[in-house]
């Protein structure tokens, strides 16, 4: 299998009225599939920081934003496989009593994922289908077709039920809805976000942003599904995994600083 080299990273600029403790979660976190060749943090003005791993094993960086303007930059060079995500159309669903202990949590409701509220819809749409990978793919396709992608159509508080009823959302909303349908059928599914460059596809006209997708437990492993794009793609670099977007916020501020700008980049570095 060949490899592709990527430049990934982001920049946040804040203005804080007072010193504000903040946690950033923007670092590549997908070894051994993704090899990080180099990475660099920059915080202006300089402040102390330290890293830690959260409950789900995601790397995080703790800082205290100073009063006034500050900018945090993360930049990394990474190598990814020159291949789309693996798949197995015969991968089976696993009965709840046979699931690994640490997977069970991904069958339960969470802040934005509401399998109990969407159970009737999920069972009426997918309950009679053959179980396994093909049923999850049907859920992915259904959500992709049901929702229309639209920036600003949902709020930070919007749940899977909200976007199901409205018919509009962004990639996190597509993912929350698909996860809700899976969990309603007792299929473990978790939220994933990260960098997604345009590799071997038509470049998107939209401004680059972080992307969200889901991983579903089938057989004895997690498999990638993408309700927003509904296709297998190259170059995904995971930043965080959790129950839903509340577990993997890009920035968590313990206060109310003003975000002046956020820039994300993820592009191939050609020889």
């Amino acid at each position: 299998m060949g490899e592709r080299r990527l430049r990934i990273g982001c920049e946040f600029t804040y203005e804080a009225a007072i010193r504000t403790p903040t946690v950033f979660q923007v670092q590549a976190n997908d070894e051994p599939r993704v090899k990080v060749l180099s990475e660099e943090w920059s915080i202006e003005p300089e402040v102390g920081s330290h890293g830690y791993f959260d409950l789900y094993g995601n790397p995080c960086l703790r800082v205290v934003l100073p009063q006034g303007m500050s900018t945090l930059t993360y930049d990394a060079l990474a190598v990814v496989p020159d291949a789309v995500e693996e798949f197995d159309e015969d991968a089976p669903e696993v009965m709840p009593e046979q699931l690994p202990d640490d997977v069970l949590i991904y069958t339960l409701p969470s802040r934005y994922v509401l399998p109990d509220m969407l159970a009737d819809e999920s069972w009426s749409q997918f309950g009679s289908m053959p179980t396994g990978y093909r049923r999850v793919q049907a859920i992915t396709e259904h959500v992709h077709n049901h929702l229309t992608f639209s920036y600003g159509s949902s709020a930070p508080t919007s749940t899977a039920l909200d976007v199901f009823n409205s018919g509009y959302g962004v990639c996190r909303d597509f993912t929350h809805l698909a996860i809700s349908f899976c969990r309603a059928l007792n299929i473990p599914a978790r939220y994933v976000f990260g960098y997604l460059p345009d590799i071997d596809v038509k470049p998107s006209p939209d401004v680059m942003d972080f992307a969200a997708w889901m991983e579903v437990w089938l057989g004895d492993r997690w498999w990638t599904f993408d309700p927003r794009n509904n296709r297998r793609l190259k170059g995904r670099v995971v930043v965080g995994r959790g129950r839903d977007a509340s577990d993997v916020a890009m920035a968590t501020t313990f206060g109310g600083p003003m975000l002046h700008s956020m820039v994300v980049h993820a592009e191939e570095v050609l020889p």
Side-chain angles (χ1 to χ4, degrees):
M1 182 187 301
E3 296 179 333
R4 309 288 278 268
R5 183 169 295 202
L6 307 178
R7 175 72 65 184
I8 57 174
C10 55
E11 181 180 277
F12 294 81
T13 298
Y14 282 99
E15 183 177 5
I18 59 173
R19 296 175 71 254
T20 306
T22 304
V23 177
F24 288 99
Q25 190 174 141
V26 297
Q27 187 175 359
N29 174 34
D30 206 14
E31 296 181 348
R33 193 186 69 85
V34 173
K35 295 181 289 187
V36 177
L37 303 180
S38 65
E39 57 184 359
E40 181 179 354
W41 294 93
S42 172
I43 307 174
E44 297 180 0
E46 291 187 11
V47 296
S49 65
H50 79 268
Y52 75 100
F53 291 91
D54 69 10
L55 180 64
Y56 302 95
N58 303 311
C60 303
L61 185 77
R62 295 182 65 174
V63 305
V64 178
L65 300 179
Q67 183 179 10
M69 301 293 293
S70 59
T71 299
L72 178 137
T73 303
Y74 171 75
D75 187 71
L77 184 64
V79 174
V80 299
D82 186 15
V84 298
E85 299 88 12
E86 295 179 348
F87 69 98
D88 180 358
E89 294 184 342
D90 296 319
E93 291 176 26
V94 180
M95 297 297 291
E97 66 269 23
Q98 298 174 328
L99 290 171
D101 295 339
D102 60 347
V103 172
L104 273 174
I105 191 174
Y106 298 109
T107 63
L108 305 177
S110 53
R111 179 177 177 181
Y112 297 113
V113 173
L114 305 176
D116 46 348
M117 303 296 290
L118 288 159
D120 289 346
E121 177 69 18
S122 185
W123 280 97
S124 66
Q125 289 284 346
F126 315 109
S128 62
M129 291 183 176
T131 63
Y133 189 101
R134 290 178 174 85
R135 177 153 72 164
V136 177
Q137 184 57 47
I139 291 171
T140 301
E141 293 175 0
H142 179 79
V143 171
H144 177 78
N145 293 326
H146 178 78
L147 296 181
T148 298
F149 186 88
S150 176
Y151 283 114
S153 61
S154 60
T157 57
S158 297
T159 68
L161 182 61
D162 295 329
V163 297
F164 172 75
N165 289 330
S166 74
Y168 294 88
V170 293
C171 58
R172 63 171 252 162
D173 302 310
F174 282 69
T175 303
H176 285 152
L177 183 55
I179 291 174
S180 296
F181 286 148
C182 287
R183 292 186 191 173
L185 299 169
N186 298 319
I187 305 171
R190 64 187 182 185
Y191 183 94
V192 188
F193 95 100
Y195 300 97
L196 183 57
D198 295 320
I199 296 182
D200 296 342
V201 297
K202 182 180 179 180
S204 171
D206 299 324
V207 175
M208 179 63 70
D209 199 350
F210 289 103
W213 58 92
M214 68 177 181
E215 292 176 346
V216 178
W217 185 270
L218 298 167
D220 61 354
R221 56 164 288 186
W222 294 102
W223 300 88
T224 296
F225 293 85
D226 187 343
R228 162 68 177 98
N229 294 293
N230 193 30
R231 61 188 299 185
R232 300 183 187 99
L233 297 170
K234 296 180 179 180
R236 296 183 197 273
V237 178
V238 172
V239 169
R241 297 179 173 94
R243 294 168 300 173
D244 58 31
S246 63
D247 287 332
V248 287
M250 297 165 287
T252 301
T253 60
F254 296 85
M258 178 181 295
L259 177 63
H260 277 266
S261 67
M262 182 187 78
V263 178
V264 179
H265 64 269
E267 62 275 331
E268 184 174 12
V269 178
L270 299 175

